[in-house]
Amino acid sequence: MDFKSLKISELVTAPITVGPNTTLLKTREILLKNKVKRVVIIEKKKPIGVITEKDIAKKIYELGTAPIKSVKAKNFIPKRLFTLTRDSSVQECAKMMKKHRISLVIIVNQDKTLEGIVTETDLARIFLTKKLESIKVSKLMQTKLITAEPSDPVLLVENLLLKYGISRVIIKRNQKPVGIITFRDFVPAKIPQWIADSADPREVQEYKFKKGLEESHGNQMSYLFPFNATDIMSTNPITIESEGEIKKAVTLMMKHNISGLPVVKNSKLVGILTKSDIVKELAE
């Protein structure tokens, strides 16, 4: 079947929404409670922005010494919102995601009110619901990897996520993937006070000087200073063989509610496959 003829009307889902004056703390609670990675900001039934887990992690660093409770959803309103209507094509949606490096397109009605959203997950699911050409993982995977070791400091891993604009860092030992860290790992439901009190500001300053971390890292998240990657990583990551089928990869992503898979060959890490890589294929 030619997916290019498909309309996104088949894929539209209802998003979780917040108002412009919803606080960042409340938004974080909503993300965790509903087990979603993003919420849409609406005002008078019209979408005006999106907040993702990555946005929250980045904003916490930008705050410096400002209280996190002072930040509201309206602080995340972008200069441009990417929207389509339900009669747009799957390929058009995939091209928009690829061009602007986004994981969500907002679907609006003729009067610009919110109708729903289409995410990378929705597009990737096409490989399960439609009869498409068989594709090997090796064709779509990325081979340029950003990785860390289990003993690397958590702040260093966070710095990699922000510096390279990626959503996950694979933790490897002896060329084998042993864990994975995503932005969700930096958005805990509640920051334990004993952790917040454990970081000595002078130690953080010394750590930053030695490791070359950005100035913004010595603030709201400095409680992470004592911890290493092994303390927060998801262990025993789900992997896919490089010669496996994309359909199997999508099945694993859906089953385990993840957006990326370390790719292995003979148990050794050789790449990574993400939903973004799959969307790029649909955009061609």
Side-chain angles (χ1 to χ4, degrees), residues 78-213:
K79 294 181 179 179
R80 179 183 176 186
L81 204 59
F82 297 99
T83 64
L84 290 172
T85 57
R86 64 183 299 109
D87 59 349
S88 301
S89 69
V90 164
Q91 187 179 42
E92 186 178 1
C93 184
K95 283 184 175 181
M96 180 175 282
M97 288 184 180
K98 177 184 177 181
K99 179 179 179 179
H100 300 287
R101 300 183 66 184
I102 54 177
S103 60
L104 168 146
V105 171
I106 295 176
I107 310 304
V108 295
N109 297 304
Q110 293 298 323
D111 60 359
K112 304 301 182 182
T113 56
L114 177 66
E115 178 171 353
I117 59 173
V118 173
T119 67
E120 288 181 328
T121 299
D122 299 320
L123 293 186
R125 192 177 286 114
I126 291 175
F127 281 88
L128 302 182
T129 59
K130 307 296 180 182
K131 292 183 178 180
L132 302 182
E133 177 186 353
S134 177
I135 302 175
K136 297 288 186 182
V137 169
S138 56
K139 179 183 177 182
L140 303 186
M141 72 180 191
Q142 303 172 50
T143 55
K144 185 177 181 180
L145 302 173
I146 304 299
T147 63
E149 299 288 333
S151 59
D152 284 337
V154 164
L155 285 178
L156 183 61
V157 176
E158 178 73 358
N159 190 55
L160 291 175
L161 288 167
L162 295 172
K163 179 179 180 180
Y164 293 100
I166 54 179
S167 299
R168 63 196 58 77
V169 170
I170 298 174
I171 310 302
K172 66 177 183 177
R173 181 188 293 118
N174 298 325
Q175 301 304 313
K176 295 183 179 181
V178 296
I180 194 163
I181 294 178
T182 70
F183 276 103
R184 179 168 294 183
D185 298 309
F186 292 90
V187 189
K190 183 179 180 181
I191 298 174
Q193 190 59 42
W194 70 269
I195 292 180
D197 292 339
S198 67
D200 186 326
R202 291 171 298 179
E203 290 180 328
V204 173
Q205 288 295 329
E206 181 180 357
Y207 172 81
K208 285 161 47 184
F209 177 77
K210 289 181 178 179
K211 299 296 182 180
L213 297 180

Side-chain angles (χ1 to χ4, degrees), residues 12-52:
V12 178
T13 58
I16 303 297
T17 62
V18 298
N21 290 315
T22 304
T23 65
L24 185 61
L25 281 174
K26 182 62 177 178
T27 301
R28 181 180 65 175
E29 292 175 9
I30 292 172
L31 285 171
L32 293 164
K33 179 180 179 181
N34 293 279
K35 297 181 180 180
V36 294
K37 298 179 180 179
R38 60 188 68 78
V39 294
V40 177
I41 309 168
I42 60 171
E43 187 172 38
K44 297 180 180 179
K45 298 183 179 181
K46 294 183 179 181
I48 58 175
V50 176
I51 301 179
T52 67

Side-chain angles (χ1 to χ4, degrees), residues 233-252:
M233 70 182 189
S234 298
T235 57
N236 302 314
I238 307 300
T239 62
I240 184 79
E241 289 286 337
S242 59
E243 291 307 302
E245 299 287 339
I246 289 297
K247 184 175 182 179
K248 180 179 179 180
V250 173
T251 299
L252 289 172

